[in-house]
Amino acid sequence: MGKKERFFLKIYNLGIIKFGNFTLKSGISSSIYIDFRPIASRPDLLIKLSELLLQEVLYYKFELICGVPYAAVPIATTLSIRSKIPLIIKRKENKGYGTERMIEGIYKKGQNCLLVEDVITSGDSLLKTIVDIEKEGLIIKNIISILDREQGGIENIKKMGYKIKTLFRIGEILKILEEKHFLKKQEIHIIRLYFSKKNRKTLQKRISYEEKRKKIFHPIGKRLIDITLKKKTNLIVSADLVNSKKILSLANLLGDIICGLKLHVDIINDFSHSFISSLKNISIKKNFLLFEDRKFCDVGYTNYLQFHYGIHKISSWADIITVHLISGNSSIQNLNLPENIGLITISEMSSIGKLFDDNYIRKALNISIKNPKVIGTVAQRRVDNRLLLFTPGINFSKINKNNFNNTYIHPNTAFEKNKSDFIIVGKGIYNSHNQKKIAEKYRKVAWTAYENSIKI
Ligand code: 5BU
């Protein structure tokens, strides 16, 4: 057994591998979780680890070192102390006051920085960090990580033109642990199942609507998929108009090519229940669902009141409603949701400067997965296969004159990269001179992108 392997057995004893049901930062679900943070409390092991990592990057030229926050920060710090190469610190989020810098430390534009990561899964969070560092004018050519979970991340990063090395690969360390009898029978079973070729393929592959339908038990989730398959449309139009007649005419015009119409009922100047009943009739005739994007965000009881009472009486007509989880599980537990209404949670918003961070998103996804009334979630990343993923902030053009600080992505990115299931388009359609033509274009592009993404 080599030096590297002996080192791994030492850190394994710190409890860095946990078994259970986890949602990773990338949105992928996993039965094993690997966490290198305990090493930070063992200076002797941190020094050993930094020596092993430095050997890997011996021939790389770099003038700065940066760790992906937070797990890799103590590791990068030790690397910096041992190599005498300066450290810079990448913030996870903007402080919101003072200099608002994302990178702390002393550096000059054009300097070459070595990036240090602990675990690579999909590579998405690493690529986000790279974007932030490159924005500061620094150059990243080389990346070093401790462990590759062998779930496509390394390939994704290499595809973007970066050189990446890892100390360990999951397959090889699990083999050592098994050989040295460090694992219980049950643990070996869980690992084999999770990392089997078939499972790896399913984790990387997008799940088709037919397969998702089997995983979703809520009748509204099933109905939405049935409509989508029947009409070959995964397009939801956001009718953010303040006049009820305009909404009705948009619904009539686009009803045949959408699977859902999304409303913000509280912006309609002339709201009335006769408007709602006309809209409901169109939705039945043309076979699409009505989404009320109320984003309930108060404590449970207030959410309940806002949902059932007031002039809008949302619970009497909506097929689907959106809810924030900012006040925790109780925001959805006490809604007294009728069986024929599905919930969409907001795990992450599309706005520039959003406050959602990885931790919040992970917790929101965990609540969403456990609640059978939740049919899906909104997020700008891939999520667990058991949820339907809805993506707003969609436009053919990324740079949009009237973006009002929303981030826009192309439908292809939503389906192919994020494995989204539905796109939500507002201004891109209702502001157009030819709403029907442009909506049909969004439908076609989105449907083709979905079909292409199943083949990947
Ligand atoms: P747009 O005109 O395509 O930007 O409209 C997007 C709609 O989606 C609009 O009604 C927003 O309120 C809604 N939205 C969003 O843009 N971003 C989010 O993260 C969420 C909803 Br959640």
Side-chain angles (χ1 to χ4, degrees), residues 298-319:
D298 215 308
V299 292
Y301 185 61
T302 307
N303 283 347
Y304 162 81
L305 293 175
Q306 288 171 329
F307 176 47
H308 294 280
Y309 298 92
I311 51 169
H312 300 121
K313 302 211 173 15
I314 296 167
S315 63
S316 69
W317 54 267
D319 297 309

Side-chain angles (χ1 to χ4, degrees), residues 46-56 79 82:
L46 258 185
I47 291 172
K48 279 223 168 80
L49 176 61
S50 71
E51 277 162 7
L52 290 171
L53 291 171
L54 279 175
Q55 266 172 24
E56 297 284 329
L79 275 179
R82 304 290 288 182

